[in-house]
Amino acid sequence: MNRLAPSILSADFSKLGEQVSLIEKGGAGIIHVDVMDGHFVPNISFGAAVMKSLTGKTKLPFDVHLMITDPDKYAPEFVTPQTEYITIHQEATIHLHRSIQVVKNLGVKVGVALNPATPISSLENVLSDIDMVLIMSVNPGFGGQKFIPVALEKVRALSKLKAEKGLNFDIEVDGGVTLGNVADVAGAGANLLVAGSAVFGADDIVKRCEDFNNIIK
Ligand code: DX5
Ligand code: ZN
């Protein structure tokens, strides 16, 4: 089943709890949590404390996207009963196989994210170990950027590879996803659709989530 994953990076942090209630009401499937360290990406967002302030305030699971150097060290901080995925970047760790095991051993699903310039072939030897591949459709660091079309080709190629190998990892697309392109993204094979500014920038956040769901479900 396809799920909408609104990124709280674009939410109004002064009323985060309320905004999360709106996306839940609108039918969002999971909360995308963008963690940036000002080192792996040129921006700092927020840490585990902000995410943990939402536990119990929503029934939605957390989809943690770690855009940080040294994910092995900080991943444990993001484990809560609501954490479904912790995703690390292929480019952020020298020993990807080890980092994947570190996250798996925390008892949550593990995802690996690829920047726009990183080929899917870089995951060939770990694909059967992971629960999700996150295809970045912008260079990570900021919300509100424009969708980079090569991401669609990567999703198609990855879907094909997944079918050929008989694997069943999820495919997530993140960055520049809008009502205008989400049909193409889901059609290419992505089942987790991240949208930040396209959700939280709307005047009516509930309706915007419903509009997304009408397209992707
Ligand atoms: C980019 C983040 C994305 C971003 C999505 O570094 O990983 O999740 O916030 O925001 P939009 O949908 O506005 O591109
Ligand atoms: Zn993200």
Side-chain angles (χ1 to χ4, degrees), residues 22-194:
L22 296 177
I23 60 166
E24 189 164 10
K25 198 168 164 210
I30 192 164
I31 301 174
H32 188 77
V33 179
D34 280 314
V35 180
M36 304 177 179
D37 66 353
H39 187 260
F40 177 67
V41 290
N43 194 13
I44 297 174
S45 59
F46 49 75
V50 169
M51 186 190 89
K52 286 176 174 163
S53 75
L54 295 171
T55 47
K57 298 247 173 5
T58 171
K59 289 200 174 62
L60 293 176
F62 298 134
D63 170 31
V64 181
H65 178 192
L66 294 180
M67 287 162 274
I68 64 172
T69 309
D70 209 351
D72 301 22
K73 182 172 172 192
Y74 295 103
E77 289 187 24
F78 293 87
V79 177
T80 73
Q82 278 172 259
T83 306
E84 182 171 344
Y85 300 91
I86 293 182
T87 296
I88 57 179
H89 265 264
Q90 186 272 5
E91 306 85 1
T93 174
I94 296 170
H95 303 286
L96 181 61
H97 184 275
R98 176 185 290 144
S99 299
I100 289 168
Q101 303 309 319
V102 166
V103 175
K104 268 171 113 85
N105 288 338
L106 296 172
V108 297
K109 294 181 188 168
V110 58
V112 178
L114 297 180
N115 282 339
T118 308
I120 57 173
S121 58
S122 64
L123 297 184
E124 192 182 333
N125 298 318
V126 294
L127 267 190
S128 57
D129 294 321
I130 63 182
D131 300 292
M132 184 248 273
V133 177
L134 193 177
I135 301 292
M136 289 303 303
S137 38
V138 297
N139 288 294
F142 304 93
Q145 302 183 80
K146 203 164 167 286
F147 188 88
I148 298 173
V150 72
L152 273 184
E153 287 167 39
K154 288 168 80 175
V155 173
R156 285 192 199 105
L158 187 61
S159 282
K160 190 163 168 261
L161 194 62
K162 176 177 155 178
E164 282 167 6
K165 291 188 179 264
L167 297 171
N168 60 7
F169 53 82
D170 297 306
I171 301 179
E172 181 168 65
V173 170
D174 184 8
V177 174
T178 63
L179 286 178
N181 62 19
V182 74
D184 291 340
V185 177
N191 66 307
L192 292 167
L193 296 311
V194 178

